[in-house]
Amino acid sequence: MTVLVAAQQTETPDTLPSRLARLAYRGGQVGSTAGVAPGFVQGNLAILPAEYASAFHRFCQLNPKPCPIIGMSDVGSPHIPALGADLDIRTDVPRYRIWRDGEVVDEPTDVTKHWRDDLVTFVLGCSFSFEEALLDEGMPIRHIEQNVRVPMYRTNIACGEAGPFAGPMVVSMRPFKPADAIRAVQITSRYPAVHGAPVHLGHPHLIGIKDLAKPDYGDPVPVADDEIPVFWACGVTPQSVINAARLPFAITHSPGLMLVTDLKNRNMAVI
């Protein structure tokens, strides 16, 4: 993929793999961002009218596992310089979702025509960041191996409520052998800004998941007989909450197709 080739070059502000990825998506390229721009933080999007921003900010504070804020825009601005000097929220994500009254009505690759002067963008940490640390330890990541989107599920785990925002936590799942699952807990605990340690291991029915083969978002992946499913809080949670709140208008990313930032994954680790 062209957005990855530059990772082998000497990095300058204009050849950063993260910037080249954004330029590719700005130009219309579409696809899962798993494995794109290795070393750089990816983020989930929640773009809301300013009248809901304070309540959503509080929701994120109450639910730091699924909703760790790594960036926030000024009202009406499509830019967050701290995440990327040239970053444009309206164009730099492979695919978006337009929500009206809590339902998805469109999934464009550019939201310029939908942009409004009262919008506030929240960028939330993504588990793709800690996946790099898992891969560095030689641990297999099934959805990357199969080149599909990570499977994500609505659960029966209730989020803390703030204003109109309430609803179930969404989790992402990766299968591991038991010994690797323990190691995955240890590794991801170092990354609280990108969801941190798992919220559940094994027995999906205990958190309200009836069938691993039927994720609510993303694509199914096989779980071998000697593996257990490991579940992490997921930044797609705001989408289930937007649906439950029946917000009149919102914009998010399409699950698995993230915003690639210029932040470095290594800087997300706390120890």
Side-chain angles (χ1 to χ4, degrees), residues 163-245:
F165 300 106
M169 182 186 297
V170 174
V171 296
S172 61
M173 187 279 290
R174 294 156 189 83
F176 290 107
K177 295 181 179 180
D180 284 342
I182 294 170
R183 183 65 181 138
V185 172
Q186 295 171 329
I187 293 169
T188 58
S189 295
R190 299 176 57 219
Y191 294 87
V194 288
H195 304 308
V199 295
H200 187 75
L201 288 81
H203 300 303
H205 67 279
L206 293 179
I207 55 173
I209 299 172
K210 296 180 179 179
D211 189 347
L212 288 179
K214 296 179 180 179
D216 295 293
Y217 314 93
D219 302 301
V221 298
V223 180
D225 290 341
D226 62 346
E227 294 177 328
I228 61 173
V230 183
F231 300 93
W232 280 265
C234 179
V236 173
T237 297
Q239 299 195 28
S240 71
V241 171
I242 287 169
N243 172 261

Side-chain angles (χ1 to χ4, degrees), residues 34 64 71 112 128 132 216 233 240 261 266:
T112 302
F128 290 171
E132 179 178 286
D216 295 293
S240 71
T261 79
R266 64 173 178 263

